[in-house]
Amino acid sequence: EPEVTQTPSHQVTQMGQEVILRCVPISNHLYFYWYRQILGQKVEFLVSFYNNEISEKSEIFDDQFSVERPDGSNFTLKIRSTKLEDSAMYFCASSVGQGNQPQHFGDGTRLSIL
Amino acid sequence: GNSVTQMEGPVTLSEEAFLTINCTYTATGYPSLFWYVQYPGEGLQLLLKATKADDKGSNKGFEATYRKETTSFHLEKGSVQVSDSAVYFCALNLPLNTGNQFYFGTGTSLTVIP
């Protein structure tokens, strides 16, 4: 069964450094998402992406965050200057459509900011 | 606004016990409802879904019925196994939601002991 893959599984970065989290969505999916889960808290929406542009973003997704689909295969999340509070599990997801279509999640990247 | 409220965990049950995890929602519109499961160290996996009132989603012995009158989508299983130990997330999505983001509950941790 096709799946969403994320790399790396764990990223440790110094505060203030840039970090790029990578995702390969399921190949026939058209909608892409990033979520994050701070330890012990709920899964929070960051951004959705469709037709090569952001369709929605949350308050969390400020100017330090950006997303890109550079080559029709990968879907990346960049954090420009990381802060301690960016430490979380970041999940990529994709779906074939909207509304009642399930989103398929990767295993996540654990980001630790030192 | 849109939100999901789940019962507080953690929940600890003996093998073969009956499981109920409560989930209620608030939504502007007619949402689709989902249960996701997160096994230790893994991402979110779709467990079941229901897209309209009175629909019952089922998978792997788990069931949940979309109750519009009580705005609920409680997860049940008649006889849990040790392998069901995981965190369970209730989520909703709206068909006309521009960003197509899911709204997740806080998750309920289930531990099944032999």
Side-chain angles (χ1 to χ4, degrees):
Chain A
E1 186 177 328
E3 57 184 28
V4 176
T5 56
Q6 290 186 243
T7 54
S9 57
H10 191 192
Q11 174 80 47
V12 181
T13 302
Q14 292 286 334
M15 186 172 60
Q17 296 296 305
E18 175 184 285
V19 65
I20 297 176
L21 309 182
R22 302 179 192 281
C23 170
V24 179
I26 295 174
S27 61
N28 65 332
H29 285 188
L30 302 177
Y31 297 80
F32 314 110
Y33 316 87
W34 284 100
Y35 292 82
R36 80 171 185 193
Q37 184 183 27
I38 295 172
L39 188 63
Q41 300 185 23
K42 68 165 63 178
V43 177
E44 302 173 290
F45 169 77
L46 294 178
V47 65
S48 58
F49 191 88
Y50 169 70
N51 201 26
N52 282 319
E53 59 184 24
I54 291 173
S55 44
E56 191 77 33
K57 58 183 180 180
S58 71
E59 293 176 353
I60 303 167
F61 195 89
D62 62 21
D63 292 345
Q64 294 300 310
F65 290 86
S66 62
V67 289
E68 193 177 33
R69 189 158 161 79
D71 57 11
S73 170
N74 291 282
F75 179 53
T76 61
L77 174 69
K78 182 194 291 187
I79 309 175
R80 245 178 292 280
S81 177
T82 50
K83 304 186 285 287
L84 292 176
E85 53 265 38
D86 293 328
S87 295
M89 182 73 92
Y90 287 80
F91 291 106
C92 174
S94 68
S95 65
V96 65
Q98 298 189 72
N100 62 6
Q101 296 298 317
Q103 295 180 9
H104 297 260
F105 286 77
D107 285 346
T109 293
R110 179 166 297 286
L111 178 62
S112 300
I113 307 300
L114 305 179
Chain B
N2 303 305
S3 65
V4 173
T5 303
Q6 284 181 240
M7 65 183 282
E8 292 283 331
V11 174
T12 302
L13 294 173
S14 298
E15 208 165 20
E16 300 183 2
F18 184 86
L19 168 71
T20 300
I21 300 178
N22 289 338
C23 170
T24 56
Y25 67 88
T26 303
T28 53
Y30 300 98
S32 293
L33 301 173
F34 303 81
W35 276 100
Y36 279 82
V37 58
Q38 184 180 30
Y39 297 103
E42 298 184 15
L44 297 159
Q45 299 176 25
L46 177 68
L47 182 59
L48 52 84
K49 71 173 189 178
T51 58
K52 61 182 188 297
D54 300 325
D55 267 4
K56 177 187 282 188
S58 61
N59 186 26
K60 298 181 183 179
F62 291 89
E63 293 183 342
T65 301
Y66 189 141
R67 301 284 187 203
K68 187 179 170 191
E69 63 276 15
T70 54
T71 61
S72 65
F73 192 55
H74 304 322
L75 182 68
E76 296 181 337
K77 186 174 185 182
S79 175
V80 294
Q81 305 301 312
V82 172
S83 57
D84 293 326
S85 298
V87 181
Y88 292 81
F89 292 89
C90 186
L92 71 83
N93 194 2
L94 291 163
L96 300 179
N97 187 354
T98 308
N100 202 39
Q101 68 265 33
F102 274 35
Y103 297 87
F104 284 92
T106 52
T108 302
S109 174
L110 170 67
T111 301
V112 180
I113 54 178

